[in-house]
């Protein structure tokens, strides 16, 4: 594989994406990316326009931020490795048994990267996310991974320790979640202390983190090995706080169960080794949620025809080989146990020579590797998670829907909101207020009876009929205005209608003078999990007009939000209904 076979636009595109993901700001200006990457402004602009066109980034015209679709990259690694699918349930059980946080990390170059996080933090400590990378010398899993490092990894680690930029974590971009160590000891001391911890850990079969990351945070970890060659493929940690345990008492408390969980994880990995198509990677795009003319690229893999098309319109502002390379990266997640060049070419619809050059580049960039000595089977590597995964995981529903509500409000010149169902009520999770009506009264967390609101009706209508009837039966159906429908049979019939129409229009039933219209928001499984609405002054716009002028924009916003939710998959926490 000659270096000349690599793809320059893909290399540059990855450099820009990496710099954007490592930035402390959520929205990054092109000038900052020029400075960080050393690339020409024109190159950065082309990369940004390509990534924006592919919906990996969004822009307000000046700065760029990650879009949920960028989770595809990290998902490709998680799916191909099969680790979250295989190990998460054991981690959940362990966290329940011990009533402490549990995480699973994998070795990534000279660090440990989280692939499972089951948090149970009571005391203020850093909460890491799936995708976050810790330096090996500052966490429990690192001491378990280090004895298995190659000479190259070891050298990389030593180089990092001696380079001031990365050693303390202060200005580190690689380890951005970490606080700096005040008065960090000289590299030689860190090196010998870590070597000692790693040797002890290898002998004992467990490792401790006694406040290596921050005061109060303690952890004990054990290795998870591959059944065939004994390689340490992951480490499972129990994480606590000094207000509950000392490092030693945590070890005494947790080690037995931790070892038992690791043994079960090893059994599971051995049993699930046959290459299998993975649920998370390959589940078909969920039905109607994203079937819209919103311009959103379909969920899942973008194949050759779609990748090449924008070239006609965007010309030099569209880097086709960057788009193709990223598609190859995402495609690597469609199968476990590695993919051959032919399989990648088939999955993407790209010519073999194109797919091959992309794979070579991804390998050089540290995002893919060959599983076998013959170089036939390609897999994505954990470093792929640095391309925005942790960052996007940390976003909540409000952050996710806000740009869509702003856009919708701008289009229809009315207030817009998103709410979820909580028992018999709706609870607001986001709102953009433009109109005068009820402006002050509604904030995030505000609740209203579901039966008298458009969002509530959309959410009730999506329930199985038995549950819908039960919720209505448990609700005190009071008239809130002269117009409120309170007859259970009439309401049941209305909800049938709403389910069939796919939207609800409620006219002055919650408050006189207020008319509102709502549409359902679906998750990656196609389930209705939230609703978006537009609220209008009843005097300004009649019901028919509202349907004509507002409904199309509302439906598009619902589809766009649903597509973002689909991209987030299981990673978005909507709370319990
Ligand atoms: C964590 O999951 O947050 C964690 C795990 C191991 C450590 C520190 C933190 O050493």
């Amino acid at each position: 594989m000659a270096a000349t076979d690599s793809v320059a636009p893909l290399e540059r595109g990855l450099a820009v994406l990496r710099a954007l993901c490592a930035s402390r700001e959520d929205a990054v200006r092109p000038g900052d990316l020029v400075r960080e990457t050393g690339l020409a402004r024109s190159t950065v602009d082309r990369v940004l326009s390509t990534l924006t066109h592919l919906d990996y980034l969004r822009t307000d015209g000046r700065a760029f931020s990650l879009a949920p679709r960028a989770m595809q990259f990290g998902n490709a690694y998680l799916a191909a490795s099969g680790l979250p699918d295989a190990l998460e349930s054991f981690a959940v059980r362990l966290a329940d048994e011990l009533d402490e946080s549990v995480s699973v990390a994998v070795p990534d170059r000279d660090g440990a990267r989280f692939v499972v996080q089951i948090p149970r933090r009571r005391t203020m400590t850093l909460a890491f996310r799936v995708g976050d990378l810790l330096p090996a010398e500052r966490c429990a899993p690192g001491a378990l991974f280090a004895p298995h490092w190659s000479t190259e990894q070891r050298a990389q680690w030593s180089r990092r320790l001696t380079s001031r930029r990365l050693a303390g974590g202060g200005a580190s971009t690689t380890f951005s979640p970490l606080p700096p160590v005040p008065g960090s000891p000289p590299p030689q001391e860190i090196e010998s202390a870590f070597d000692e911890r790693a040797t002890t850990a290898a002998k004992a079969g467990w490792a401790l983190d006694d406040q290596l990351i921050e005061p109060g945070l303690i952890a004990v970890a054990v290795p998870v090995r591959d059944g065939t060659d004994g390689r340490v493929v992951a480490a499972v940690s129990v994480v606590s706080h000094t207000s509950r345990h000392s490092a030693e008492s945590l070890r005494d408390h947790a080690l037995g169960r931790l070892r038992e969980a690791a043994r079960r994880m090893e059994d599971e990995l051995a049993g699930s080794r046959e290459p299998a198509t993975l649920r998370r990677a390959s589940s078909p795009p969920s039905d109607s949620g994203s079937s819209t003319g919103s311009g959103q690229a379909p969920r899942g893999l973008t194949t050759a025809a779609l990748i090449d098309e924008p070239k006609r319109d965007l010309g030099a502002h569209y880097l086709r080989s960057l788009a193709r390379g990223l598609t190859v990266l995402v495609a690597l997640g469609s199968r476990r146990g590695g993919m051959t060049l032919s399989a990648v070419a088939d999955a993407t619809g790209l010519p073999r020579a194109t797919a091959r050059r992309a794979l070579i580049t991804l390998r050089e960039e540290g995002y893919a590797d060959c599983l076998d000595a013959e170089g036939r089977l390609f897999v994505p590597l954990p470093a792929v998670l640095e391309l925005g995964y942790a960052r996007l995981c940390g976003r909540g529903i409000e952050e996710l829907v806000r740009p869509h509500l702003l856009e919708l409000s701008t289009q229809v010149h009315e207030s817009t909101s998103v709410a979820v169902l909580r028992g018999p009520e709706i609870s607001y999770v986001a709102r953009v207020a433009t109109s005068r009506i009820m402006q002050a009264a509604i904030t995030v967390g505000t609740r209203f009876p579901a039966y008298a609101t458009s969002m509530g009706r959309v959410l009730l209508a999506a329930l199985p009929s038995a549950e819908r009837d039960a919720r209505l039966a448990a609700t005190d159906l009071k008239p809130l205005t002269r117009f409120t429908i309170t007859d259970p049979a009439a309401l049941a019939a209305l909800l049938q209608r709403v389910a069939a129409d796919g939207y609800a229009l409620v006219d002055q039933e919650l408050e006189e003078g207020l008319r509102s219209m709502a549409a359902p928001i679906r998750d990656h499984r196609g389930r209705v999990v939230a609703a978006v609405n537009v609220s209008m002054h009843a005097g300004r716009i009649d019901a028919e007009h509202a349907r004509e002028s507002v409904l199309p924009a509302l439906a598009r916003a619902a589809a766009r939000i649903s597509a973002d939710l689909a991209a987030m998959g299981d990673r978005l926490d909507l709370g319990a209904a």
Side-chain angles (χ1 to χ4, degrees):
M1 292 198 189
T4 49
D5 276 348
S6 63
V7 186
L10 178 54
E11 267 169 34
R12 293 172 191 149
L14 289 167
V16 169
L17 191 54
R18 216 166 21 236
L20 190 138
C21 295
S23 164
R24 291 188 185 277
E25 306 300 324
D26 273 332
V28 186
R29 287 165 186 266
D32 296 334
L33 296 168
V34 168
R35 208 166 324 111
E36 279 300 316
T37 59
L39 293 168
R41 173 66 192 238
S42 59
T43 305
V44 169
D45 283 344
R46 276 188 213 139
V47 166
L48 291 173
S49 85
T50 305
L51 294 175
T52 305
H53 189 81
L54 294 169
D55 200 29
Y56 290 126
L57 301 182
R58 303 237 166 105
T59 180
D60 60 3
R62 288 187 302 174
F64 290 78
S65 56
L66 284 167
R69 191 174 158 84
M71 294 198 73
Q72 280 190 339
F73 306 131
N75 275 329
Y77 163 73
L78 294 174
S81 78
L83 290 172
D85 273 350
L87 307 185
E88 198 156 78
S89 60
F90 299 102
V92 168
R93 200 187 313 168
L94 182 61
D96 284 344
E97 285 170 0
L98 295 170
D99 199 18
E100 299 284 2
S101 303
V102 169
S103 63
V104 179
V106 294
D108 180 6
R109 293 160 296 182
D110 59 337
R113 202 179 282 278
F114 293 113
V115 295
V116 173
Q117 272 288 350
I118 314 296
R120 223 181 223 96
R121 303 267 155 94
R122 303 165 190 82
T123 323
M124 281 304 289
T125 50
L126 279 176
F128 295 110
R129 296 160 299 197
V130 169
D132 277 333
L133 179 70
L134 299 186
E137 70 281 6
R138 285 181 68 189
C139 64
L144 297 167
F145 297 156
H148 302 268
W149 280 348
S150 64
T151 22
E152 170 51 32
Q153 278 170 306
R154 171 83 200 193
Q156 188 183 357
W157 179 68
S158 301
R159 275 199 303 276
R160 174 166 58 75
L161 285 191
T162 42
S163 108
R164 242 188 72 72
R165 182 165 145 79
L166 296 178
S172 159
T173 49
T174 321
F175 302 110
S176 44
L178 281 197
V181 202
S184 178
Q188 298 83 343
E189 254 172 61
I190 299 179
E191 202 156 346
S192 62
F194 182 58
D195 282 343
E196 201 180 308
R197 283 205 309 119
T199 312
T200 315
K203 276 203 208 107
W206 49 264
L208 277 188
D209 163 1
D210 191 356
Q211 310 178 69
L212 295 167
I213 289 169
E214 65 166 6
L217 182 61
I218 51 174
V220 53
V222 301
V224 178
R225 290 172 192 278
D226 179 283
T228 42
D229 55 11
R231 229 167 9 107
V232 175
V233 290
V236 50
S237 305
V238 170
V239 190
S240 189
H241 191 266
T242 45
S243 60
R244 291 167 61 78
H245 281 290
S246 68
E248 285 69 28
S249 81
L250 178 65
R251 180 200 56 206
D252 295 344
H253 172 63
L255 194 57
R257 288 212 173 86
L258 191 52
R259 283 194 155 135
E260 179 57 27
R263 203 186 50 71
R264 291 212 197 97
M265 289 176 174
E266 287 171 351
D267 288 349
E268 177 67 25
L269 288 178
S272 66
R273 188 168 303 108
E274 323 70 77
T277 309
L278 280 188
R279 267 175 285 143
R280 188 167 292 162
S282 60
S283 58
S286 51
D287 59 287
S288 50
S290 39
S291 64
T292 64
S294 67
Q296 181 90 37
R299 186 173 176 237
L301 205 56
T302 317
T303 47
L306 276 171
I307 303 166
D308 291 355
E309 204 185 75
K311 190 74 190 163
R312 276 201 302 271
D313 299 336
L314 296 175
H317 287 283
Y318 186 72
L319 300 170
R320 184 168 53 188
S321 45
L322 169 58
R324 289 172 155 190
L326 294 176
T327 298
V328 166
L329 177 56
V330 174
L332 287 177
S334 52
R335 204 168 306 164
R336 232 174 103 186
M339 281 173 89
T340 61
L341 173 57
S342 306
V344 172
D346 279 352
T348 55
L350 291 171
R352 277 173 65 94
T354 307
R356 179 173 165 276
R357 281 197 301 275
L359 286 167
I360 291 171
T361 310
L362 291 170
R363 199 174 173 200
E364 283 169 3
E365 294 286 308
Y367 295 126
D369 204 359
C370 293
L371 263 191
D372 55 333
E374 300 78 46
R376 288 185 59 248
L377 284 173
F378 291 89
V379 285
L381 292 177
V384 167
L385 288 162
E386 80 186 4
L387 300 174
Y389 195 88
R391 194 94 195 209
L392 287 161
C393 270
R395 287 200 188 158
I397 176 90
E398 187 184 6
E399 229 178 317
L400 190 126
V401 303
R402 174 155 292 278
H404 299 293
L405 290 187
L406 279 168
E407 189 178 341
L408 179 59
S409 276
T410 311
Q411 285 166 356
V412 300
H413 311 290
E414 301 285 359
S415 301
T416 57
S417 309
V418 167
V420 294
L421 199 57
R422 292 277 179 269
E425 296 176 318
I426 57 163
S427 172
Y428 280 75
V429 296
R431 178 163 169 86
V432 170
T434 56
S435 78
R436 302 136 296 271
I437 340 161
M438 304 175 69
Q439 191 153 327
I442 303 175
T443 55
V444 169
T446 296
R447 293 184 176 221
F448 287 127
Y451 68 91
T453 61
S454 62
M455 290 193 280
R457 291 216 181 135
V458 158
L459 292 164
L460 289 170
L463 295 174
S465 53
E467 194 183 336
R468 184 199 299 171
D469 293 346
R471 290 215 195 198
L472 283 182
T475 309
D476 178 17
L477 301 173
K478 285 184 302 210
L480 305 168
T481 69
R482 299 178 278 151
F483 304 104
T484 314
I485 295 165
T486 53
D487 173 48
L491 263 176
L494 248 175
L495 293 177
Q496 295 277 9
R497 236 338 258 290
V498 169
D501 291 347
Y503 73 91
L505 178 68
V506 169
D507 206 359
Q508 312 188 65
E509 294 187 47
L510 178 69
E511 185 178 306
E512 294 210 14
L514 179 74
R515 178 173 291 143
S516 92
M517 193 182 254
I521 295 171
R522 295 172 191 274
D523 71 359
H524 60 299
R525 296 202 176 87
R527 295 172 307 195
V528 173
V529 291
V532 50
N533 91 338
V534 175
S535 47
M536 299 153 271
H537 199 294
R540 277 202 298 146
I541 188 167
D542 68 47
E544 215 29 64
H545 188 101
R547 243 186 290 268
E548 269 168 36
S549 67
V550 173
L551 188 54
L554 176 66
R556 279 197 303 273
R560 278 193 301 267
I561 297 173
S562 297
D564 277 3
L565 249 59
M568 296 290 291
D570 296 330
R571 291 288 154 208
L572 192 72
D573 185 9
L574 290 157

